[in-house]
Amino acid sequence: MSAIELSGVTKRFGDVTAVNDLDLTVEEGEVFGFLGPNGAGKSTTINMILDFVRPTAGEVRVLDRDAQAESVAIRRRIGVLPEGFSVYERLTGRQHVEFAIESKELDVDPDPVLDRVGLLDDADRKAGGYSKGMAQRLALAMALVGEPELLILDEPSSGLDPAGAKEMREIVREEADRGATVFFSSHVLGQVEAVCDRVGILRAGELVAEDSIEGLRETVGSGETLRVSVDGASEEDLAAVRALEGVRGAATDGTTVTVDCESGAKTAVIGALEDAGVTVTDFTTTEASLEDLFLAYTEGAAPGDNGTGEHDSPAAGEVAE
Amino acid sequence: MSLEAVARKDFRDAVRSRWVLVLSALFVVLFAGPALFRFTLGIGLGEGAEATGIALLFIQLMKEGTAVLVPIIAIVVGYASITRERESGTLKLLLSLPHSRADVVVGKVLGRSAVIALPIAVGFLAAGLVLIPASSGFALASFLAFGFLTMLLGVVFVGLAVGISAAARSDREAMVGSVGAFVLFQVFWGTATSRIAGGLQEYAGLTAQNRYLVELGAKLLNPIAAYKTLADSLVFESQMQARQQLFGFFLFPDPAAQEALGQELPVVFTDPFVAALMVLWFVVPVYVGMVLFERADL
């Protein structure tokens, strides 16, 4: 049984297509990162999974039930951190969690989940006075109530500081270790890389990649970026380099040649440059990062075309909304 | 139960916001105030028949005030019940939990109904305490019935307002819808029905009796008029007399209507039917609102 299954799902708002013919399967027990830039259709997809909006075409199934017809039964078994929510201003943090417990028809103590998200000390304050990050923690606490089989977290790290985002990742890990399936969206790869078994990348309403982190790494290549400092290199000098096996791309700005290649091809690249009469003064290599791939997918260029890109950018840190 | 959880949370929220307290105080002052005023002036309520007469007059006069005030308060209490949650995003938190949209609508209706019904009950209780010592059993029974009727009016308008709120996409839309309905009932309905019935008599050759029967039927479709005439049924000797209060001005019935309608009231215009019509104004908007809310993309 798969935890979430979308087949041929399309959602149009008027003449805007938010999600186009999407097929997506999240297996039971995995942590699935749903990636994409803002406006790619991630929240629309999640809203269809939660039955907040209805697909124009296609079918959505959650825990082997119809997302629309059996939405209440589904929500009894899942925990949700929605996007764009707000808390009840007059209720305290604890009352929120108590309401979640009551709604799920359980009889448990609210304190352990409040403690897990770090809100226990503020549990008796009215949630109207909470910061964005605290509201986010509170909604997570509500989602965690009753050890749900599936957690759906829409941009869980938004509003959290780096420490908070780290705690969020730890909780995701713990939940996965408990056996829960976790499906969460993010527009920042850095939050996802460390915890996800698999990721799907959505762009303009379409899934452009769906793979494990390892698989994605392979797509990026065992690849490296080679930066070669030279006395002077022209486009013609690069022809021989481009012809080499294992080289995906090469570029030059005159004094630096940047080559995207497999790690085994380094020596051949240097050799080819020297054969072309270019004097090599120095070279460095950088391992290609997933971030590059993510940017390549989401910013328009197809993977593999990023041979001349800057490859030394660290994975982006946590971005607060 | 999900419905209960939503209703209870909603009502508690109203208690926390002091709505219930403020409304209770308001209704106590409003209902018990006039009676208390007589006492403070040293007039008292008198004895026996006089006290009973005062209690009945009290109903007759007070309904004019409650017929305006209670719907307005019910609309204020209910109009944003769904749209505000939708606009602020608390609805997403609510619907992330296992509540159906129907449960949300019905839960709101129950919660907000309590918000208006409870203060009305408190107000009537206070007024009752003032009136009880002097009045006859008949007056007290009428007074009690008037209390329930007023609660019903409040609940009907809460249902109407919550139904509109469920169907609306924004607070603004909900406000326009609810206030529009109130203005329609309060201001235009009466005039419109007499014009139409008068026109039918003049141009379609309706007999005077039929004209007034049509007009009566049309007037009774208005929940505010239904409330007033049901209250009059508690005061007047016959239901026909109560219905005739719908014609004419304040306490002075229209003689033409009186003559045309005679003494025989068709069964469809008797109290149970009028009450049922009133309840329809609760049931239909709640149901329609629920259906539209079920279909909506949030």
Side-chain angles (χ1 to χ4, degrees):
Chain A
M1 186 182 87
S2 35
I4 299 173
E5 200 175 351
L6 282 80
S7 28
V9 172
T10 296
K11 178 64 189 179
R12 282 186 213 98
F13 295 104
D15 46 6
V16 177
T17 303
V19 172
N20 191 19
D21 196 22
L22 182 65
D23 293 306
L24 181 71
T25 305
V26 177
E27 297 299 337
E28 222 174 302
E30 72 175 343
V31 179
F32 190 96
F34 195 41
L35 294 171
N38 290 327
K42 298 189 302 285
S43 283
T44 302
T45 306
I46 291 181
N47 285 343
M48 284 190 285
I49 293 170
L50 299 175
D51 192 39
F52 290 171
V53 304
R54 278 64 186 261
T56 311
E59 202 197 6
V60 182
R61 294 186 72 79
V62 182
L63 299 172
D64 223 22
R65 289 168 183 266
D66 184 89
Q68 208 170 321
E70 300 168 276
S71 177
V72 175
I74 290 168
R75 281 178 278 141
R76 232 171 248 137
R77 293 162 62 194
I78 69 176
V80 181
L81 169 54
E83 170 266 356
F85 71 92
S86 60
V87 293
Y88 290 100
E89 294 192 354
R90 282 188 286 267
L91 297 185
T92 65
R94 181 174 281 110
Q95 283 165 334
H96 274 83
V97 175
E98 279 167 353
F99 180 60
I101 292 170
E102 194 185 352
S103 298
K104 291 195 165 182
E105 293 170 30
L106 300 168
D107 186 21
V108 293
D109 183 5
D111 285 3
V113 281
L114 283 163
D115 192 25
R116 268 183 86 187
V117 300
L119 270 185
L120 196 54
D121 291 341
D122 295 300
D124 290 317
R125 275 175 57 195
K126 291 219 159 67
Y130 281 8
S131 67
K132 174 90 168 48
M134 289 166 84
Q136 197 76 3
R137 287 162 190 266
L138 179 55
L140 179 65
M142 292 171 76
L144 293 175
V145 162
E147 304 206 333
E149 288 164 59
L150 166 64
L151 276 169
I152 297 177
L153 315 174
D154 198 350
E155 293 279 354
S157 303
S158 73
L160 297 180
D161 54 21
K166 184 160 169 282
E167 284 167 35
M168 176 71 77
R169 283 197 295 273
E170 278 161 11
I171 288 174
V172 166
R173 244 312 124 215
E174 286 162 19
E175 289 297 296
D177 290 345
R178 172 172 70 74
T181 310
V182 183
F183 178 82
F184 73 96
S185 73
S186 177
H187 63 283
V188 182
L189 182 83
Q191 295 166 354
V192 172
E193 221 174 332
V195 286
C196 283
D197 299 315
R198 275 196 322 134
V199 298
I201 299 177
L202 197 68
R203 192 183 93 194
E206 297 191 37
L207 203 61
V208 289
E210 185 183 7
D211 209 339
S212 65
I213 294 284
E214 290 70 35
L216 283 183
R217 275 193 210 288
E218 268 167 41
T219 312
V220 183
S222 46
E224 291 188 348
T225 301
L226 185 62
R227 268 166 214 280
V228 191
S229 303
V230 293
D231 59 342
S234 63
E235 278 295 316
E236 292 85 71
D237 298 330
L238 295 185
V241 173
R242 290 195 177 111
L244 291 171
E245 202 174 317
V247 172
R248 294 197 202 87
T252 178
D253 65 0
T255 57
T256 307
V257 176
T258 313
V259 183
D260 185 27
C261 62
E262 282 172 24
S263 32
K266 266 184 291 193
T267 335
V269 169
I270 306 291
L273 281 173
E274 283 177 338
D275 289 349
V278 177
T279 308
V280 173
T281 55
D282 193 12
F283 71 89
T284 57
T285 58
T286 325
E287 214 176 294
S289 76
L290 273 182
E291 188 66 19
D292 296 328
L293 181 81
F294 177 59
L295 291 176
Y297 272 127
T298 56
E299 283 174 357
D305 286 354
N306 56 343
T308 58
E310 292 291 318
H311 282 205
D312 48 2
S313 60
E318 317 307 336
V319 176
E321 294 265 283
Chain B
M1 198 188 148
S2 163
L3 186 63
E4 205 185 303
V6 176
R8 203 181 311 142
K9 190 195 76 58
D10 203 49
F11 180 69
R12 278 193 200 140
D13 202 40
V15 172
R16 259 179 228 109
S17 69
R18 309 230 162 83
W19 260 107
V20 175
L21 194 71
V22 169
L23 288 181
S24 297
L26 177 73
F27 284 124
V28 166
V29 170
L30 225 61
F31 297 162
L36 283 171
F37 189 60
R38 278 186 67 103
F39 281 121
T40 50
L41 286 180
I43 303 167
L45 288 171
E47 293 295 322
E50 195 196 342
T52 298
I54 285 170
L56 293 180
L57 185 66
F58 180 72
I59 291 174
Q60 217 183 344
L61 294 179
M62 203 159 81
K63 74 161 199 294
E64 298 296 333
T66 49
V68 178
L69 199 66
V70 169
I72 288 177
I73 292 172
I75 284 170
V76 172
V77 163
Y79 89 93
S81 53
I82 310 272
T83 46
R84 188 157 299 153
E85 289 222 22
R86 202 164 156 178
E87 287 194 343
S88 72
T90 52
L91 187 64
K92 284 191 167 171
L93 210 56
L94 186 58
L95 286 178
S96 290
L97 297 167
H99 303 293
S100 70
R101 296 192 192 183
D103 282 350
V104 171
V105 175
V106 177
K108 289 279 175 195
V109 169
L110 293 179
R112 306 280 158 129
S113 292
V115 171
I116 189 139
L118 203 77
I120 290 174
V122 169
F124 269 92
L125 205 70
L129 289 177
V130 177
L131 295 170
I132 278 172
S135 302
S136 66
F138 168 71
L140 277 179
S142 300
F143 190 70
L144 201 66
F146 179 53
F148 279 116
L149 188 60
T150 305
M151 279 161 72
L152 177 66
L153 178 69
V155 170
V156 164
F157 272 86
V158 162
L160 185 70
V162 175
I164 290 172
S165 196
R169 278 163 305 181
S170 65
D171 274 1
R172 246 184 93 87
E173 241 181 63
M175 162 94 93
V176 169
S178 281
V179 172
F182 175 74
V183 171
L184 174 73
F185 293 139
Q186 186 64 36
V187 182
F188 296 113
W189 199 287
T191 323
T193 48
S194 14
R195 290 270 164 79
I196 291 167
L200 284 174
Q201 183 181 19
E202 200 164 329
Y203 302 109
L206 234 57
T207 64
Q209 190 190 15
N210 282 340
R211 172 238 152 117
Y212 280 104
L213 284 174
V214 167
E215 190 174 338
L216 179 59
K219 280 186 191 306
L220 291 174
L221 286 174
N222 174 351
I224 296 177
Y227 166 76
K228 284 188 186 176
T229 195
L230 286 171
D232 281 334
S233 286
L234 300 170
V235 175
F236 288 91
E237 273 164 30
S238 77
Q239 291 181 27
M240 184 47 125
Q241 274 177 308
R243 300 298 168 268
Q244 277 171 356
Q245 296 298 311
L246 290 171
F247 300 89
F249 181 71
F250 199 43
L251 292 176
F252 309 99
D254 175 0
Q258 243 172 341
E259 196 190 320
L261 288 171
Q263 292 304 312
E264 207 60 35
L265 187 68
V267 70
V268 291
F269 298 143
T270 54
D271 286 355
F273 284 88
V274 177
L277 270 180
M278 217 174 138
V279 170
L280 274 185
W281 280 108
F282 171 87
V283 175
V284 174
V286 169
Y287 179 75
V288 171
M290 206 160 75
V291 168
L292 292 176
F293 186 58
E294 289 268 11
R295 286 189 198 153
D297 277 349
L298 303 177

